[in-house]
Amino acid sequence: MDNSSNFDEISEPGYQPSPSSFDQNDQSTVETPVYSTMSGDSSMFGRTYSETSAFSDPIDDNSYSSEPSPSHWPVTKSGARDQAIFGRLEMKQQKQVVDDKLDDQESVDLELETMKERFSKLLLGEDMSGSGKGVCTAVTISNAITNLYATVFGQNLRLEPLKPEKKSMWKREMDCLLSVCDYIVELVPKSQNSRDGTTLEVMESRPRSDIYINLPALTKLDEMLIEVLDSFQDREFWYAEQGSMSSNSTRSGSFRRVIIQRQEDKWWVPVPCVPPDGLSEKSRKHLRHKRDCAYQTHKAAMAINSSILAEMQIPHTYMASLPKSGRACLGDTIYRYLYTADRFSPDHLLDCLNIASEHEALELADQVEASMYTWRRKACLSHSKSSWDMVKDLMSDIDRTDKNHVLAERAETLLFCLKQRYPELSQTSLDTCKIQYNRDVGQATLESYSRVLEGLAFNIVAWIDDVLFVDKSVRTQDQ
């Protein structure tokens, strides 16, 4: 059968063959369907200028032989309009993607520049001249953690979640500053069995003990404090700035006078406001629970900070600045009580002193601490006759009856009770001197991290107390 008969069998009414669909020189039309524009594959997947949108109607696979060739499909006005609309939408989507990529790149570049700046300051020791007169690495890291805390939490004076950018900044930069602790290790002996059965003792590196114990605990305390702030997303109370109390902030200003009298030395702290009937029982229970969490966190951070400071070496500059007489440093009243009392009671002594402010408490702490180390130095000098005499004194309790040793022990007990009575007490002169002259990077990192967490926990407790105090004042007025 010839080609014309084959064509008559497959042709249907309305079919218009393309000039290139067959050739007189071809031997068989069966050998060339894959390359012909009449084939089912090419008609299904071929794309012309009028078929560029993915939103066009699907083509029935069984109807391709009864439809005109794609090159002869008419282009209607509605199809052209849809094509233009889809083209504009596609351009807008591409432009939005490009803008998002540019914004992300700018954000990454800004963060990278910030990290370069911080890293450079760490290397330079905060000496921008580059002359090598900067502080040591330990002090630089300590200052960096303190400054980061001031940047993130310095303006946050309310019980509310941190802003996402501040929270991200705190986590990102603290991870960088704490990463140095991953490389502070100590070598410990370890037994290792060889292939021939002999036991060898090798040195193995592991994280230093103080970092291994304290750093995970501080990280957990950090997460707990952030969770406490996040829990105040939905709250019944609100805040009003000092001097900008609106008429709808509260029904009366009486509680504001109370809270200002209670915090007259902190006039910049926003004033908490509660509904006219006070807080609900559920809200008060939530506040008390979060206060207990923050208080326990404060105690844990303070204990870690005190232990790290106690491990730091006392600088020679502090020992050189001590007075020659502990009595002259403390005064006759306190010295007489420390020396003559048969049963020493530090609480009774503190009650008799009538300390009126934190400033007086801090001044007394500096005096007691200085006199304590003065008496300790005298006790050491009085027993430094010879090595044999030192051994005999250590084996006996003769030194415990020494006047300087007794005074130093009582001064230490008095200082401990003073810090317990005033937990918000600032750092003493010795603590500041230790931080300033410390050269241990691990101790500096742990001390500064625990110090800022201690301050944040104390602030959260104080903010919760303010809200509860205002709520109690409003409910008392109703009664």
Side-chain angles (χ1 to χ4, degrees):
M1 187 178 295
D2 58 357
N3 293 338
S4 59
S5 62
N6 290 336
F7 174 75
D8 293 335
E9 290 178 1
I10 64 174
S11 61
E12 293 181 4
Y15 177 77
Q16 298 178 3
S18 174
S20 60
S21 61
F22 61 95
D23 195 294
Q24 296 293 335
N25 296 326
D26 292 342
Q27 297 178 0
S28 175
T29 57
V30 181
E31 297 178 357
T32 60
V34 177
Y35 305 98
S36 174
T37 57
M38 289 179 55
S39 64
D41 293 339
S42 61
S43 63
M44 290 174 61
F45 300 103
R47 294 171 61 89
T48 63
Y49 69 93
S50 62
E51 189 193 5
T52 58
S53 173
F55 300 92
S56 58
D57 296 334
I59 301 175
D60 189 2
D61 294 342
N62 300 323
S63 62
Y64 67 93
S65 60
S66 62
E67 293 182 359
S69 174
S71 61
H72 294 275
W73 283 352
V75 180
T76 61
K77 294 183 179 180
S78 60
R81 183 172 64 251
D82 293 342
Q83 179 185 356
I85 293 175
F86 292 145
R88 287 195 296 269
L89 289 175
E90 186 175 358
M91 291 178 61
K92 288 182 179 180
Q93 292 176 356
Q94 293 177 355
K95 184 176 182 300
Q96 183 65 32
V97 171
V98 173
D99 293 341
D100 293 340
K101 290 183 179 180
L102 291 177
D103 293 340
D104 295 340
Q105 185 64 33
E106 290 177 359
S107 177
V108 172
D109 293 341
L110 181 60
E111 293 180 1
L112 183 60
E113 290 299 325
T114 303
M115 297 305 297
K116 286 181 179 179
E117 179 184 359
R118 302 290 174 85
F119 183 68
S120 300
K121 288 182 179 180
L122 288 176
L123 292 179
L124 294 173
E126 300 179 355
D127 178 22
M128 298 299 103
S129 65
S131 57
K133 298 180 181 180
V135 296
C136 65
T137 306
V139 179
T140 304
I141 293 180
S142 178
N143 293 341
I145 294 177
T146 305
N147 295 334
L148 177 61
Y149 170 78
T151 302
V152 175
F153 297 97
Q155 301 297 326
N156 187 33
L157 304 176
R158 311 177 182 207
L159 287 174
E160 60 184 9
L162 278 177
K163 296 181 179 179
E165 58 271 15
K166 289 293 184 67
K167 185 186 297 186
S168 176
M169 178 182 181
W170 172 256
K171 179 175 177 56
R172 180 180 64 253
E173 298 198 14
M174 278 304 302
D175 288 343
C176 293
L177 293 173
L178 296 177
S179 62
V180 65
C181 295
D182 297 337
Y183 303 94
I184 300 178
V185 297
E186 59 184 1
L187 299 177
V188 293
K190 178 185 177 182
S191 298
Q192 184 177 358
N193 297 324
S194 58
R195 294 181 178 179
D196 57 359
T198 58
T199 302
L200 301 176
E201 190 175 75
V202 297
M203 301 302 291
E204 181 186 29
S205 64
R206 69 177 184 185
R208 208 170 67 184
S209 57
D210 56 343
I211 296 176
Y212 181 77
I213 296 173
N214 294 317
L215 187 58
L218 291 174
T219 305
K220 182 61 177 178
L221 296 178
D222 188 356
E223 295 175 356
M224 292 173 60
L225 291 176
I226 297 298
E227 290 178 0
V228 170
L229 291 177
D230 291 340
S231 65
F232 292 100
Q233 179 68 40
D234 299 324
R235 56 179 189 242
E236 296 181 5
F237 57 91
W238 65 98
Y239 287 90
E241 298 293 340
Q242 293 279 9
S244 62
M245 293 281 290
S246 60
S247 58
N248 58 355
S249 296
T250 179
R251 56 173 188 162
S252 64
S254 57
F255 81 91
R256 187 187 178 209
R257 290 194 296 269
V258 173
I259 199 67
I260 290 178
Q261 291 174 2
R262 185 166 174 259
Q263 288 189 338
E264 58 183 1
D265 56 334
K266 298 181 180 179
W267 53 268
W268 62 89
V269 178
V271 178
C273 305
V274 298
D277 297 333
L279 299 174
S280 63
E281 185 61 30
K282 180 180 178 181
S283 181
R284 282 195 294 270
K285 184 178 180 180
H286 176 259
L287 283 169
R288 295 191 188 100
H289 174 66
K290 294 304 177 182
R291 185 194 183 281
D292 293 340
C293 294
Y295 180 69
Q296 295 299 326
T297 303
H298 174 261
K299 289 174 58 177
M302 185 171 60
I304 295 176
N305 185 261
S306 299
S307 64
I308 297 301
L309 285 173
E311 293 176 0
M312 289 185 180
Q313 295 182 356
I314 301 176
H316 296 290
T317 55
Y318 180 81
M319 298 300 296
S321 65
L322 291 176
K324 295 181 179 180
S325 172
R327 180 175 185 174
C329 183
L330 277 179
D332 292 336
T333 304
I334 301 178
Y335 174 79
R336 192 179 300 111
Y337 187 86
L338 290 175
Y339 182 65
T340 60
D342 295 335
R343 294 184 177 180
F344 175 67
S345 175
D347 293 326
H348 177 68
L349 176 58
L350 292 177
D351 293 336
C352 296
L353 293 177
N354 295 326
I355 302 174
S357 62
E358 295 181 12
H359 178 72
E360 293 181 3
L362 181 61
E363 185 178 359
L364 177 61
D366 287 335
Q367 295 172 357
V368 173
E369 199 166 40
S371 61
M372 177 182 67
Y373 284 102
T374 299
W375 287 322
R376 282 183 178 177
R377 182 174 60 181
K378 286 185 176 182
C380 293
L381 291 176
S382 62
H383 294 286
S384 60
K385 300 175 182 179
S386 64
S387 59
W388 175 244
D389 292 334
M390 292 179 63
V391 172
K392 289 191 300 181
D393 291 340
L394 289 174
M395 295 178 62
S396 63
D397 292 333
I398 298 177
D399 59 341
R400 295 191 176 275
T401 61
D402 183 76
K403 179 184 72 172
N404 293 319
H405 182 80
V406 173
L407 289 173
E409 279 191 341
R410 292 185 173 182
E412 184 179 5
T413 306
L414 177 62
L415 180 63
F416 178 79
C417 292
L418 182 62
K419 290 183 176 181
Q420 289 291 323
R421 183 170 293 194
Y422 298 93
E424 69 278 5
L425 202 64
S426 303
Q427 292 174 336
T428 61
S429 299
L430 176 59
D431 295 339
T432 306
C433 192
K434 283 183 176 181
I435 296 173
Q436 180 181 358
Y437 291 95
N438 176 49
R439 295 295 182 269
D440 192 300
V441 176
Q443 290 180 344
T445 305
L446 295 175
E447 189 281 326
S448 56
Y449 195 17
S450 60
R451 173 163 38 87
V452 298
L453 293 181
E454 177 186 347
L456 177 59
F458 177 79
N459 289 338
I460 292 177
V461 172
W463 298 336
I464 295 178
D465 286 341
D466 289 342
V467 177
L468 294 175
F469 182 80
V470 171
D471 175 64
K472 182 178 179 181
S473 302
V474 171
R475 288 187 290 109
T476 303
Q477 290 176 3
D478 292 339
Q479 297 176 357

